[in-house]
Amino acid sequence: KFLCGGRLIFGPDGASLLLSSFLIGAPALTFCTKMLLRIPDVDSLHGHVVFIVGLVLTFLVLTFLIMTSSRNPGIVPRNSRPPEPDSLSNSNSSIEWINNTTPDLKLPRTKDIFVNGHTVKVKYCDTCLLYRPPRSSHCSICNNCVQRFDHHCPWVGQCIGVRNYRTFIFFVSSSTILCIYVFTFSLLHLLEQPGHIWTSISRDIVSVALIVYCFIAVWFVGGLSVFHFYLICTNQTTYENFRYRYDKKENPYNRGIILNLKEIFFSKTVPSLVNFREWVIEEDDTILESITKKYGGDIMKSNGKMDLEAGILGKDGKPYPDLLQNLDYKGIEDSLKKDRGGKIDNDPFLFPMAQEGDNSRHSNAADEDEDDDDGTENSSQRTSSAVLRV
């Protein structure tokens, strides 16, 4: 889903961004409002600092949430046709058909490339018609291959990839800090009230609700922050951690904690491979491919061109009516070419115009010499029967 002319790119479930914003903003703004109302009753400096810090943390969390959800995660552009099989592999052990539209084309499902001195297998994507770059994977929800695919986050409604992983870490970490901040000062406010603790709880339901809410939420965002900090230090993605288990084999991307942290937090954002704001030139063969998928692959010959003699499509690209497709053209040709005497008439489509003129003159002369009424009647009957047969 695109907004602002392609500058903002959301996932197919981008509406979940509204729910996440409400779950974060509602309790945070409630806390800030409560702290603002308490400023006259407490120390002015203390009250203003708590209120401003809470407001800034809320703004940062919502900003990182929007940046993560509205940024291109690193979509790999698709190919319009499969790659050439001759230049990919010479072995037939792992070769199988990979595309319904081109059943004769066979490509290896995987191929080996070298990354940091290690052999890494990359898989072929049947949807995008390409070999996925290293650390890329196809998201079934967004239906795109994504560079350095980590996971698809339903809370931000977007894939987490190479271009928005940093903002995602900032979002999760700032959410954890905000939960701890609201929990701490809400609990302190509850304990500072005079009287028994149960009396304070019954008089300040809002603080109790914020404490319970933040206590539950911090386990989710806090646990997620710790887990991703471990992934950053070991240079893994969530997908790789659950799929490959680098604990059992060497990770070719791990360069040490310092360099791994530098790669995530102190490196430039990878440029987008797709410019969603440029004009797209539609290729001519896309129409041919759509027709092939509709009518089947029988009308496609080995050279990849459409057979116009199959009787399905005309020269203008439009399908013939069913009546014309089932018509016996051979019988019509025979009836037009032969007369009752077995002689073959001249076909105007096969003979030059000069011959056609000579034939017409001979035909007119014969008609003028024939004054017999029976001959005229027989001639008209032959013409009528020929028309009816057509």
Side-chain angles (χ1 to χ4, degrees):
K1 298 180 180 179
F2 300 92
L3 292 178
C4 301
R7 294 178 177 87
L8 302 180
I9 305 169
F10 296 89
D13 51 349
S16 59
L17 176 65
L18 301 176
L19 176 61
S20 300
S21 300
F22 175 78
L23 294 177
I24 296 172
L29 294 178
T30 301
F31 169 79
C32 293
T33 303
K34 189 174 181 60
M35 293 296 105
L36 181 63
L37 297 176
R38 288 186 63 239
I39 290 178
D41 301 332
V42 297
D43 182 61
S44 177
L45 180 61
H46 173 75
H48 282 88
V49 169
V50 174
F51 166 74
I52 293 175
V53 172
L55 201 61
V56 170
L57 284 176
T58 304
F59 175 77
L60 289 177
V61 173
L62 295 178
T63 300
F64 290 137
L65 172 63
I66 296 175
M67 290 177 63
T68 303
S69 180
S70 62
R71 175 175 291 183
N72 174 14
I75 297 175
V76 180
R78 301 185 180 189
N79 286 335
S80 58
R81 57 181 60 87
E84 295 295 333
D86 297 336
S87 60
L88 295 176
S89 177
N90 294 326
S91 63
N92 296 324
S93 59
S94 62
I95 292 181
E96 59 184 51
W97 69 275
I98 51 88
N99 198 353
N100 291 329
T101 59
T102 55
D104 296 332
L105 180 61
K106 295 183 179 181
L107 294 173
R109 300 297 304 178
T110 61
K111 69 175 183 178
D112 297 334
I113 62 173
F114 290 95
V115 177
N116 297 328
H118 297 80
T119 302
V120 177
K121 290 184 178 295
V122 292
K123 295 182 179 180
Y124 183 84
C125 180
D126 296 328
T127 304
C128 300
L129 301 180
L130 51 81
Y131 284 93
R132 301 166 186 162
R135 313 193 80 176
S136 300
S137 182
H138 191 88
C139 177
S140 58
I141 300 177
C142 295
N143 197 24
N144 282 308
C145 284
V146 179
Q147 294 176 284
R148 200 184 185 277
F149 176 78
D150 191 87
H151 69 287
H152 183 91
C153 182
W155 297 106
V156 302
Q158 180 68 282
C159 281
I160 307 302
V162 67
R163 301 190 73 250
N164 62 351
Y165 184 73
R166 182 186 304 164
T167 55
F168 173 76
I169 295 299
F170 290 155
F171 162 66
V172 175
S173 303
S174 58
S175 298
T176 304
I177 297 174
L178 179 62
C179 287
I180 296 175
Y181 185 83
V182 174
F183 175 85
T184 302
F185 283 96
S186 297
L187 182 61
L188 290 177
H189 172 65
L190 201 63
L191 296 177
E192 289 175 355
Q193 296 184 8
H196 196 269
I197 183 64
W198 294 109
T199 305
S200 301
I201 291 175
S202 61
R203 289 184 301 182
D204 195 353
I205 302 299
V206 176
S207 296
V208 174
L210 291 175
I211 291 173
V212 174
Y213 183 84
C214 292
F215 179 79
I216 297 174
V218 75
W219 290 100
F220 291 97
V221 293
L224 199 60
S225 300
V226 173
F227 174 68
H228 277 280
F229 183 75
Y230 160 75
L231 294 179
I232 292 173
C233 292
T234 57
N235 206 330
Q236 299 182 61
T237 64
T238 303
Y239 181 81
E240 292 171 347
N241 182 263
F242 284 93
R243 183 70 179 269
Y244 299 113
R245 294 292 182 181
Y246 283 135
D247 296 337
K248 299 180 181 179
K249 59 181 180 180
E250 187 176 1
N251 181 2
Y253 307 103
N254 189 2
R255 301 184 298 170
I257 296 179
I258 303 300
L259 293 179
N260 293 337
L261 292 174
K262 182 179 179 180
E263 179 182 342
I264 298 298
F265 296 109
F266 302 100
S267 61
K268 295 182 179 180
T269 303
V270 176
S272 176
L273 298 180
V274 185
N275 184 7
F276 293 101
R277 305 186 68 239
E278 69 178 353
W279 292 98
V280 178
I281 301 176
E282 185 177 4
E283 298 182 359
D284 295 336
D285 56 352
T286 56
I287 302 177
L288 185 63
E289 293 175 1
S290 63
I291 294 174
T292 307
K293 293 179 182 178
K294 181 177 180 180
Y295 293 103
D298 295 337
I299 60 176
M300 289 295 295
K301 292 187 175 181
S302 60
N303 57 359
K305 296 182 179 179
M306 182 70 70
D307 187 4
L308 296 179
E309 298 178 357
I312 295 179
L313 297 178
K315 293 182 178 180
D316 56 352
K318 297 181 180 179
Y320 285 133
D322 294 336
L323 178 62
L324 295 180
Q325 293 184 19
N326 300 326
L327 192 62
D328 186 6
Y329 294 97
K330 184 177 180 181
I332 296 176
E333 292 175 356
D334 295 338
S335 63
L336 292 176
K337 289 183 178 180
K338 293 185 178 180
D339 59 3
R340 291 190 176 186
K343 296 181 180 180
I344 300 178
D345 294 333
N346 293 331
D347 194 341
F349 295 100
L350 299 178
F351 289 88
M353 295 299 296
Q355 296 182 7
E356 183 179 355
D358 295 338
N359 294 332
S360 62
R361 285 194 296 271
H362 290 300
S363 177
N364 293 333
D367 291 339
E368 291 175 358
D369 294 336
E370 187 176 6
D371 296 330
D372 185 74
D373 294 339
D374 295 335
T376 305
E377 184 179 356
N378 293 334
S379 177
S380 63
Q381 289 178 358
R382 286 196 301 269
T383 305
S384 301
S385 62
V387 172
L388 291 176
R389 284 198 299 270
V390 175

